[in-house]
Structure formats: structure tokens, C-alpha cells
């Protein structure tokens, strides 16, 4: 068993070099958007999914430590760039694929840790995929404030919020939504950590 664990850990260290693939950039409407895979999806992608799910059952505490390390690495990478718009998704942690219990234990805490670690004093906007943001709200990781306005393009809304003095978290809508008449601001819970 120890040999297997050492092999898996060495295998993971090799894959940690691939964490850079979990951070990509796009340019839409002249805005630089940093696209991030949340820690759970970064780990699942690096381990080719099925192997990752098997490891979660067999050695959950080791995988949780790895998820924490991924969150730390992502925080360092994002804070080094200080992008004005960040888009965070967790496609491997969808309720249609795995249970909410599993998501609550292995995805949300590390996504929340990532959000808490981002430098907030330099402004910008972090958009969280609605699949994740709804669950973050449901389990008390965030509180939502709804702001309504006249219909406008979602890209314009994100561009407006990126000028804020502190990092703003937005969710509950897909970043590819063409037009909106409200925005869902996410406020990180302070009683979780």
C-alpha cells in the first residue's frame, strides 16, 4: 500500500506541472479574461477523471491535501497576474454527475478557499459558474445580493464591475449570457474559516 501511495504521490507531482493548463486566458470585447478550473476540476482533469474518483474513495485525506495544494497554487498564479476579470468553473463537480454530498465535501471547500485567497484590494470581478455559485449559496459559503437594472449586455456589466476598488464576486448566471437585467453579487461568508 505504501508503494502505491508513493507512486500516486509522484504521479500527482508530475501532474501538478500541468496545473498551468487549468489557467487560460481569452480576450472578449477587448477584455482580458482569466479562465480558471476550480481545484476539484483541476485535480480530476490532471488525473484523467476516473482515477481521481477512485482515489477519492480509497484515500480521501490524501486527495484533500492535494486539493488544498492546488488551491494554494491557483491563488499564487492568479494573484501574480491580478487580472481584471476572472471566470471560475468547476465542470467536474456538477450535481448531474456526482452527489451534492460529494461536492460539499470535495469541491466547495476548496473553491471557497480559492476565492478567499484572491487579492481583493486591487479591484476586478470574479465570475463563478452558476452550477457552483448556487451550491456555494445553498451551503452558506456565500450570501447573495441581487441588483436589478435595465436590460444590458452581460459583458458590459462585467466591464463595469471590473472597475470596482475591491474584487467583486458575481455568480448565478452563465458568463456567456448575452443580456441581463440583474446581477447576483456574492459576498463570502466570514464564519466558515
Amino acid at each position: 500500500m505504501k508503494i502505491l501511495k508513493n507512486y500516486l504521490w509522484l504521479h500527482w507531482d508530475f501532474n501538478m506541472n500541468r496545473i498551468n493548463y487549468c489557467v487560460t486566458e481569452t480576450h472578449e470585447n477587448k477584455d482580458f479574461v482569466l479562465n480558471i478550473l476550480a481545484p476539484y476540476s483541476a485535480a480530476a482533469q490532471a488525473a484523467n477523471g476516473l482515477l481521481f474518483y477512485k482515489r477519492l474513495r480509497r484515500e480521501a485525506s490524501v486527495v484533500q491535501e492535494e486539493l488544498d495544494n492546488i488551491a494554494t497554487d491557483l491563488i499564487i498564479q492568479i494573484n501574480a497576474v491580478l487580472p481584471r476579470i476572472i471566470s471560475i468553473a468547476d465542470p467536474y463537480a456538477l450535481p448531474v454527475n456526482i452527489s451534492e454530498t460529494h461536492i460539499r465535501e470535495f469541491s466547495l471547500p476548496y473553491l471557497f478557499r480559492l476565492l478567499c485567497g484572491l487579492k481583493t484590494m486591487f479591484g476586478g470581478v470574479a465570475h463563478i459558474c452558476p452550477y457552483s455559485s448556487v451550491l456555494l449559496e445553498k451551503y452558506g459559503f456565500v450570501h447573495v445580493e441581487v441588483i436589478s437594472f435595465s436590460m444590458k449586455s452581460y459583458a458590459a456589466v462585467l466591464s463595469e464591475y471590473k472597475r470596482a476598488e475591491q474584487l467583486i464576486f458575481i455568480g448565478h448566471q452563465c458568463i456567456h449570457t448575452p443580456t441581463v437585467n440583474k446581477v447576483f453579487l456574492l459576498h463570502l461568508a466570514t464564519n466558515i474559516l
Side-chain angles (χ1 to χ4, degrees), residues 1 4 7 16 18 20 46-47 58 63-64 74 86 95 97 102 122 130 138 140 147 171 175 180:
M1 182 66 174
L4 176 63
Y7 169 76
M16 282 301 289
R18 292 175 22 182
N20 291 328
R58 294 182 183 147
V63 174
Q64 287 172 323
L74 287 172
I86 303 166
N97 298 329
H102 185 91
F122 295 106
K138 180 177 181 179
I147 298 178
I175 196 165
V180 295

Side-chain angles (χ1 to χ4, degrees), residues 76-108:
I76 291 168
Q77 284 187 347
I78 296 166
N79 286 339
V81 176
L82 291 175
R84 302 304 289 172
I85 300 178
I86 303 166
S87 177
I88 303 172
D90 205 357
Y92 285 84
L94 298 178
V96 296
N97 298 329
I98 57 177
S99 71
E100 278 193 31
T101 302
H102 185 91
I103 292 169
R104 195 172 58 240
E105 184 177 350
F106 295 107
S107 169
L108 296 180

Side-chain angles (χ1 to χ4, degrees), residues 121-186:
M121 63 281 227
F122 295 106
V125 61
H127 176 274
I128 294 105
C129 172
Y131 289 110
S132 296
S133 67
V134 167
L135 291 174
L136 285 168
E137 179 188 20
K138 180 177 181 179
Y139 294 109
F141 289 95
V142 299
H143 306 288
V144 176
E145 175 186 358
V146 181
I147 298 178
S148 298
F149 42 76
S150 300
M151 193 65 76
K152 56 175 100 172
S153 87
Y154 196 40
V157 172
L158 293 178
S159 289
E160 288 174 21
Y161 277 101
K162 79 176 185 179
R163 294 185 202 100
E165 290 181 13
Q166 291 202 354
L167 183 64
I168 303 290
F169 297 99
I170 296 177
H172 287 32
Q173 299 180 109
C174 179
I175 196 165
H176 303 293
T177 302
T179 57
V180 295
N181 63 355
K182 63 179 81 169
V183 68
F184 299 86
L185 301 181
L186 308 177

Side-chain angles (χ1 to χ4, degrees), residues 22-79:
C22 299
V23 179
T24 60
E25 58 186 76
T26 58
H27 299 273
E28 294 180 20
N29 298 331
K30 298 181 182 175
D31 277 331
F32 166 74
V33 179
L34 194 65
N35 298 301
I36 307 294
L37 276 181
Y40 183 90
S41 290
Q45 179 172 308
N48 297 324
L50 186 58
L51 174 63
F52 176 70
Y53 297 128
K54 287 179 181 179
R55 289 190 61 222
L56 278 174
R57 285 197 319 266
R58 294 182 183 147
E59 48 187 23
S61 62
V62 172
V63 174
Q64 287 172 323
E65 185 178 323
E66 293 168 359
L67 290 168
D68 195 51
N69 289 336
I70 291 171
T72 299
D73 289 345
L74 287 172
I75 289 166
I76 291 168
Q77 284 187 347
I78 296 166
N79 286 339

